[in-house]
Amino acid sequence: MGWFTDRSKSWEIKETVLLLGVIGIVSFLSLGVLTPFAVFFFGNRVRISHWLKVSFFISSIYLVFLILALFVFVAGENPVSILTLNYISFYIYVVYLSIYTPEYLQRLDLKNYINLEKNKEYSYHTIIKQMHDVRSDIPNKTSFITNLNRFKRSIVSQCMIIEINEILRLIEVIGVNNLNVTEVILERHVSTIENVLTQYIELTTNYHQSKEVLDSIAKLEELIKYARIALENELSMIIESQVLSVDGEASVYLSVLKGRGFV
């Protein structure tokens, strides 16, 4: 869990650096004149338009000072005023958006679950709590299948996608045989599989692919493989149990028929 959202701290850091980094670079290179366009892009991602209005207001003020500074420069004076304006522009925009970083991160996360309305305020923690409450009411099997499909959309590796598809197939087959048994089996596997896939996506998308990271990814892939094998074994045991049960019932039935002289 991160500082402001239910996502990981590494995700929050990545998105914050992307936001403030792009805004800071654009502000520094354009003296703040082009920054509203960058702010519009990020504001549009989370449906916040008032950022753009404030940015245009700040930009218009800086434009006036920029023109004055250029006149000073053309007049042959020391260009320190332009450099000062450059640094001030960078500082003001980054500080301004830093204030709204928690809201930006929360809305960026919420857009994965709901359709955001422009400038509408949302209580992030209330919505996330409601999402958790709804999920807790969903049967374990349905919730697990939904989560696996969501994980699959974030995974590039075809091998992992094949493993996940096989796990989905096994869960469906096990569920057809016995719903109560399915719930018991899922209790043993759901938490581990979901945690492994969460870590796998985190490592493959948010980290530099160093040797240590690649080794960790390989171990997680192996864990998913073993989880699939374990589910296959569980299914085999269920089928064997059902076969034995049928054989037992058939033997008793034949004994009764023979005892009554019907066969």
Side-chain angles (χ1 to χ4, degrees):
M1 183 177 292
W3 294 286
F4 308 111
T5 69
D6 269 8
R7 301 289 289 271
S8 65
K9 289 184 174 65
S10 59
W11 178 84
E12 291 187 355
I13 293 172
K14 184 190 74 172
E15 293 296 338
T16 301
V17 170
L18 180 63
L19 169 67
L20 301 182
V22 171
I23 296 300
I25 291 172
V26 172
S27 299
F28 186 82
L29 296 178
S30 69
L31 300 180
V33 175
L34 299 180
T35 309
F37 298 102
V39 172
F40 171 76
F41 170 77
F42 286 102
N44 192 55
R45 289 184 75 190
V46 293
R47 309 291 289 169
I48 298 177
S49 62
H50 65 80
W51 284 5
L52 185 62
K53 297 174 184 177
V54 175
S55 296
F56 270 119
F57 175 73
I58 297 174
S59 182
S60 61
I61 295 176
Y62 273 110
L63 186 59
V64 172
F65 281 101
L66 176 61
I67 293 172
L68 293 176
L70 289 174
F71 273 116
V72 171
F73 177 69
V74 171
E77 298 293 334
N78 194 315
V80 172
S81 55
I82 294 181
L83 295 175
T84 302
L85 188 67
N86 197 335
Y87 283 109
I88 292 176
S89 168
F90 169 82
Y91 179 78
I92 289 294
Y93 278 110
V94 170
V95 170
Y96 171 69
L97 287 179
S98 294
I99 297 173
Y100 291 97
T101 295
E103 179 187 6
Y104 173 78
L105 293 173
Q106 290 175 353
R107 292 177 73 96
L108 190 62
D109 187 30
L110 283 179
K111 69 181 291 189
N112 294 315
Y113 306 105
I114 62 175
N115 292 322
L116 299 178
E117 296 181 26
K118 185 176 291 186
N119 296 328
K120 181 177 178 179
E121 294 185 2
Y122 296 94
S123 174
Y124 175 82
H125 296 290
T126 299
I127 293 175
I128 293 298
K129 183 178 182 299
Q130 290 172 349
M131 295 287 294
H132 289 320
D133 291 342
V134 169
R135 286 175 181 173
S136 64
D137 293 334
I138 298 175
N140 209 11
K141 175 187 170 183
T142 305
S143 175
F144 184 46
I145 290 174
T146 301
N147 288 338
L148 284 181
N149 285 315
R150 177 169 57 86
F151 287 133
K152 194 167 64 172
R153 289 193 293 270
S154 302
I155 293 175
V156 176
S157 171
Q158 287 301 311
C159 293
M160 282 291 282
I161 291 175
I162 291 173
E163 294 287 355
I164 293 173
N165 285 335
E166 184 62 16
I167 290 173
L168 286 167
R169 186 188 69 81
L170 291 168
I171 294 300
E172 290 291 354
V173 174
I174 293 172
V176 169
N177 283 275
N178 191 319
L179 184 59
N180 292 329
V181 172
T182 303
E183 293 298 320
V184 173
I185 291 174
L186 290 180
E187 286 293 333
R188 288 198 287 265
H189 298 285
V190 167
S191 179
T192 300
I193 292 175
E194 289 186 349
N195 287 337
V196 168
L197 289 175
T198 299
Q199 294 176 45
Y200 180 84
I201 293 170
E202 194 72 30
L203 289 175
T204 54
T205 57
N206 295 333
Y207 285 83
H208 173 68
Q209 302 300 291
S210 63
K211 183 180 182 303
E212 291 77 11
V213 171
L214 292 175
D215 288 343
S216 297
I217 290 173
K219 289 178 182 178
L220 294 175
E221 290 175 341
E222 191 174 19
L223 277 175
I224 292 298
K225 176 184 175 182
Y226 285 135
R228 186 258 303 164
I229 293 172
L231 285 171
E232 288 178 346
N233 293 335
E234 298 255 25
L235 178 58
S236 297
M237 293 173 62
I238 292 173
I239 294 174
E240 288 175 5
S241 174
Q242 290 177 341
V243 170
L244 291 174
S245 176
V246 170
D247 288 343
E249 290 178 4
S251 298
V252 172
Y253 179 64
L254 287 173
S255 296
V256 171
L257 292 179
K258 289 177 179 179
R260 296 183 178 180
F262 294 128
V263 293

